[in-house]
C-alpha cells in the first residue's frame, strides 16, 4: 500500500488530483474505493462486528440494511451530484445556504471525521497486537504513522487505488475464512449451543429503540458522506460511476453478511473478548495462510478508510476554510501543500482524541450522529427540495441538529432514555421543512402585487 502511495505521489500535481484524483477513476476503482472507504475499522472492529458478538447475528445483519438503503439513494442522486461541479460538501451547502452554512458544515465534518479517523488508528492497534505481540498502544502509534503517510503522499489518487486492492483482498479473505471459522467453532449447532440464548432472537438482547439507535447513524452518515460524494465526482464517466455504484452495493451485501457470521462464531469460541477483537481473534484458530490473508485484508481496509476520512477533513479546512474565506486568491500549489500539512496535524489530533473513548463502537456512533444530524438533512434538502428550501430554514435545521447531537447525551443526559440520533436528526429535518415553508410563504409576493 505504501508502494502505491509512492507511485501516486509522482502522479499527483494539482489540488484537484489530490482531492478527486483528477476525475479519472474507472468503474472497478470506483467500486473498490467506495467499498473500502465505507467498510473500514467500523466494520472490522466496530459496527456489525461488535453487534454480532454482543447482541447476536440477526441484528448485526439487519444493521447492514441501513448502508444498502443509503447506497441506493446515492445511486439515484449520482447524476445530480456530478452535475453540481463542487469538490466538497461544504461547497455544495454554501451554494444554497451561504457562507454561514458552509462554515457550520466544514466545522461539523472536520469534527466528525477526526473522530472516525481516531478509531481506525485503534483498529490497526488491535490487528498488530494479535499478529506481532506489540501492545495495542504501540500498534496504534504505528497505524497512525501509516495512515498519515498514505494520505499525505498521493491524496485520493493513492487512497482510491489502495482501496480497490484492499476491497478485493477483504472479499476474498472473508469468503475463504468463513468455512474455516465455522468448522473450528463446531458448525452451526456448536455455535448456537455456546452463545447466550438471547443472541438467537430477532433483535438479540436489544430493544427496538436500542437497535434503531445503532441502525440510524450509519444511514444518516452514508447519505451525506463527503467521501462518497467525492468518489462519485471522481469517476471518469457517468456510466462507469453507475457501474461502480452497483458493484459497491453487491460488495456491501457480501461484507455485511460475512463479517457478522465470523463475529457470531467468535462469541462461541471466545466468550470474554473486547467486542472489537471478535473477528480478529478468530484468525488465531485458522490455518496460517487463511488467517494471514484475512488480517492483511482487514488492515488494508482500516488503513484506506482512515486515510480517506483524514484526507477529506483536511480538504474542508484547506479548500473551504482557507481558500473560501481566508485567502480566496491562494494559488493551487499552496492549497495542495497546505492540505498535506493539515493531514499531519489533524492525524495527530485524531490519535489524541481516540484515547478518550472507551470503545470503538462508542466513538463510531458519536461521530456518525454528529455528522448525520447536522449535514444530512440540509444536503438532501438541496438535492430533493431545492425549490422549497430557504436559507434560514436550512441553517435552523443544521444548527439544531448539530447542537442536539453533541449535547443530548453528554450535557442533557439522554432525556426520556432516548439516544441523540433518535432526536437530533428528526428535529433538524422538521425544522428545515417548517421554517422553509414559513419563510418562503412570507417572502412570496401577494396575488395583488403579482
Amino acid at each position: 500500500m505504501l508502494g502505491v502511495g509512492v507511485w501516486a505521489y509522482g502522479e499527483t500535481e494539482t489540488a484537484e488530483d489530490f482531492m478527486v484524483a483528477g476525475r479519472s477513476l474507472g468503474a472497478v476503482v470506483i467500486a473498490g474505493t467506495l467499498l473500502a472507504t465505507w467498510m473500514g475499522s467500523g466494520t472490522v472492529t466496530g459496527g456489525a462486528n461488535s453487534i454480532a458478538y454482543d447482541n447476536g447475528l440477526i441484528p448485526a445483519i439487519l444493521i447492514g440494511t441501513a448502508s444498502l438503503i443509503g447506497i441506493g439513494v446515492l445511486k439515484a442522486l449520482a447524476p445530480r451530484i456530478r452535475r453540481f461541479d463542487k469538490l466538497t460538501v461544504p461547497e455544495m451547502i454554501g451554494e444554497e445556504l451561504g457562507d454561514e452554512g458552509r462554515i457550520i458544515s466544514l466545522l461539523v465534518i472536520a469534527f466528525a471525521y477526526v473522530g472516525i479517523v481516531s478509531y481506525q488508528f485503534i483498529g490497526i492497534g488491535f490487528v498488530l497486537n494479535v499478529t506481532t505481540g506489540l501492545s495495542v498502544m504501540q500498534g496504534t502509534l504505528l497505524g497512525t504513522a501509516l495512515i498519515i503517510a498514505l494520505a499525505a503522499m498521493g491524496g485520493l489518487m493513492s487512497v482510491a487505488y489502495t482501496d480497490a486492492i484492499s476491497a478485493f483482498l477483504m472479499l476474498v479473505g472473508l469468503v475463504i475464512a468463513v468455512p474455516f471459522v465455522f468448522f473450528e467453532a463446531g458448525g452451526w449447532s456448536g455455535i448456537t449451543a455456546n452463545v447466550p440464548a438471547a443472541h438467537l432472537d430477532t433483535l438479540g438482547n436489544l430493544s427496538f429503540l436500542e437497535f434503531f439507535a445503532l441502525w440510524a447513524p450509519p444511514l444518516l452518515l452514508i447519505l451525506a458522506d463527503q467521501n462518497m460524494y467525492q468518489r462519485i465526482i471522481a469517476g471518469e464517466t457517468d456510466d462507469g460511476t453507475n457501474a461502480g455504484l452497483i458493484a459497491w452495493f453487491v460488495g456491501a451485501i457480501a461484507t455485511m453478511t460475512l463479517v457478522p457470521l465470523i463475529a457470531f462464531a467468535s462469541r462461541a469460541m471466545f466468550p470474554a473478548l473486547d467486542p472489537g477483537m471478535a473477528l480478529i481473534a478468530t484468525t488465531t484458530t485458522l490455518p496460517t495462510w487463511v488467517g494471514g490473508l484475512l488480517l492483511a485484508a482487514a488492515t488494508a481496509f482500516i488503513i484506506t478508510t482512515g486515510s480517506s476520512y483524514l484526507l477529506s477533513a483536511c480538504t474542508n479546512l484547506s479548500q473551504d476554510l482557507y481558500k473560501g474565506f481566508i485567502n480566496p486568491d491562494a494559488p493551487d500549489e499552496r492549497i495542495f501543500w497546505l492540505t498535506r500539512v493539515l493531514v499531519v496535524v489533524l492525524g495527530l489530533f485524531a490519535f489524541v482524541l481516540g484515547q478518550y473513548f472507551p470503545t470503538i463502537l462508542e466513538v463510531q456512533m458519536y461521530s456518525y450522529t454528529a455528522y448525520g444530524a447536522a449535514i444530512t438533512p440540509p444536503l438532501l434538502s438541496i438535492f430533493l427540495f431545492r425549490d422549497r428550501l430557504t436559507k434560514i430554514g436550512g441553517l435552523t435545521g443544521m444548527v439544531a441538529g448539530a447542537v442536539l447531537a453533541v449535547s443530548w447525551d453528554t450535557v442533557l443526559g439522554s432525556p426520556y432514555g432516548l439516544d441523540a440520533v433518535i432526536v437530533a436528526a428528526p428535529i433538524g429535518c422538521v425544522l428545515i421543512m417548517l421554517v422553509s415553508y414559513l419563510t418562503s410563504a412570507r417572502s412570496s409576493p401577494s396575488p395583488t402585487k403579482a
Side-chain angles (χ1 to χ4, degrees):
M1 292 175 71
L2 287 173
V4 174
V6 172
W7 164 79
Y9 182 85
E11 296 292 317
T12 306
E13 299 177 353
T14 67
E16 186 170 277
D17 288 343
F18 200 77
M19 295 175 189
V20 291
R23 304 177 193 258
S24 63
L25 303 184
V28 173
V29 179
I30 286 284
T33 190
L34 286 167
L35 180 62
T37 299
W38 185 243
M39 304 289 176
S41 184
T43 299
V44 175
T45 60
N49 170 80
S50 293
I51 292 167
Y53 186 89
D54 260 348
N55 309 111
L57 178 63
I58 298 176
I61 292 177
L62 290 176
I63 288 291
T65 61
S67 298
L68 299 180
I69 292 170
I71 294 170
V73 173
L74 288 178
K75 183 180 180 300
L77 293 178
R80 301 185 207 180
I81 294 170
R82 288 173 62 79
R83 286 197 303 268
F84 214 109
D85 198 29
K86 301 293 181 184
L87 297 182
T88 68
V89 164
E91 283 185 305
M92 296 177 186
I93 291 178
E95 182 81 5
E96 296 298 317
L97 304 184
D99 290 346
E100 300 90 341
R102 190 173 183 179
I103 291 172
I104 294 170
S105 57
L106 75 88
L107 292 176
V108 170
I109 291 173
F111 167 78
Y113 280 8
V114 165
I116 292 171
V117 171
S118 71
Y119 63 77
Q120 312 304 320
F121 296 160
I122 300 169
I124 296 181
F126 283 164
V127 175
L128 294 180
N129 172 254
V130 170
T131 54
T132 68
L134 289 172
S135 70
V136 173
M137 175 55 72
Q138 290 172 324
T140 300
L141 286 167
L142 184 54
T144 300
L146 286 168
I147 287 174
I148 289 174
L150 188 61
M153 281 192 289
L156 187 59
M157 186 73 78
S158 63
V159 169
Y161 282 89
T162 51
D163 277 350
I165 295 168
S166 65
F168 175 77
L169 273 176
M170 193 64 182
L171 287 173
V172 171
L174 288 171
V175 169
I176 294 173
V178 166
F180 283 96
V181 171
F182 267 57
F183 176 79
E184 291 293 332
W188 181 254
S189 59
I191 294 170
T192 54
N194 288 288
V195 300
H199 286 200
L200 303 176
D201 296 337
T202 302
L203 294 183
N205 53 5
L206 295 169
S207 69
F208 176 77
L209 286 179
E210 288 172 333
F211 171 80
F212 186 77
L214 293 170
W215 181 86
L219 174 62
L220 291 172
L221 174 63
I222 196 172
L223 286 173
D225 191 338
Q226 181 170 258
N227 279 293
M228 309 308 142
Y229 280 62
Q230 286 180 324
R231 280 150 179 77
I232 290 170
I233 294 167
E236 186 173 15
T237 65
D238 290 344
D239 289 342
T241 301
N242 188 57
L245 286 163
I246 294 172
W248 176 28
F249 185 88
V250 175
I253 291 175
T255 306
M256 290 184 295
T257 302
L258 296 172
V259 168
L261 283 170
I262 293 175
F264 185 60
S266 181
R267 179 57 187 254
M269 301 163 70
F270 308 102
L273 285 177
D274 179 322
M277 292 289 287
L279 182 146
I280 294 169
T282 62
T283 62
T284 62
T285 69
L286 300 174
T288 302
W289 70 274
V290 180
L293 177 63
L294 188 58
L295 284 167
T299 306
F301 252 29
I302 295 169
I303 290 174
T304 55
T305 297
S307 55
S308 293
Y309 279 93
L310 181 57
L311 174 64
S312 199
C314 295
T315 298
N316 290 138
L317 295 181
S318 61
Q319 180 77 12
D320 295 301
L321 182 60
Y322 181 74
K323 186 173 184 178
F325 296 100
I326 298 174
N327 188 2
D329 299 321
D332 185 82
E333 185 176 2
R334 182 177 299 177
I335 300 300
F336 181 24
W337 284 102
L338 175 62
T339 308
R340 277 191 163 138
V341 172
L342 287 169
V343 164
V344 178
V345 174
L346 278 194
L348 295 174
F349 179 68
F351 168 79
V352 173
L353 181 66
Q355 308 312 304
Y356 289 91
F357 285 88
T359 68
I360 284 179
L361 187 60
E362 182 175 316
V363 66
Q364 182 184 6
M365 291 300 110
Y366 191 73
S367 300
Y368 284 15
T369 299
Y371 191 103
I375 304 299
T376 302
L379 185 61
L380 289 183
S381 297
I382 288 170
F383 284 106
L384 300 176
F385 310 107
R386 195 171 186 177
D387 56 334
R388 284 169 280 177
L389 177 67
T390 65
K391 179 178 178 179
I392 187 64
L395 291 176
T396 301
M398 282 187 75
V399 172
V403 170
L404 284 171
V406 172
S407 64
W408 185 262
D409 294 334
T410 55
V411 177
L412 301 178
S414 304
Y416 312 108
L418 299 175
D419 286 273
V421 68
I422 299 175
V423 177
I427 286 180
C429 290
V430 170
L431 285 175
I432 287 175
M433 292 187 288
L434 179 61
V435 176
S436 290
Y437 171 76
L438 293 175
T439 52
S440 63
R442 184 179 301 171
S443 62
S444 298
S446 66
T448 56
K449 291 181 181 179

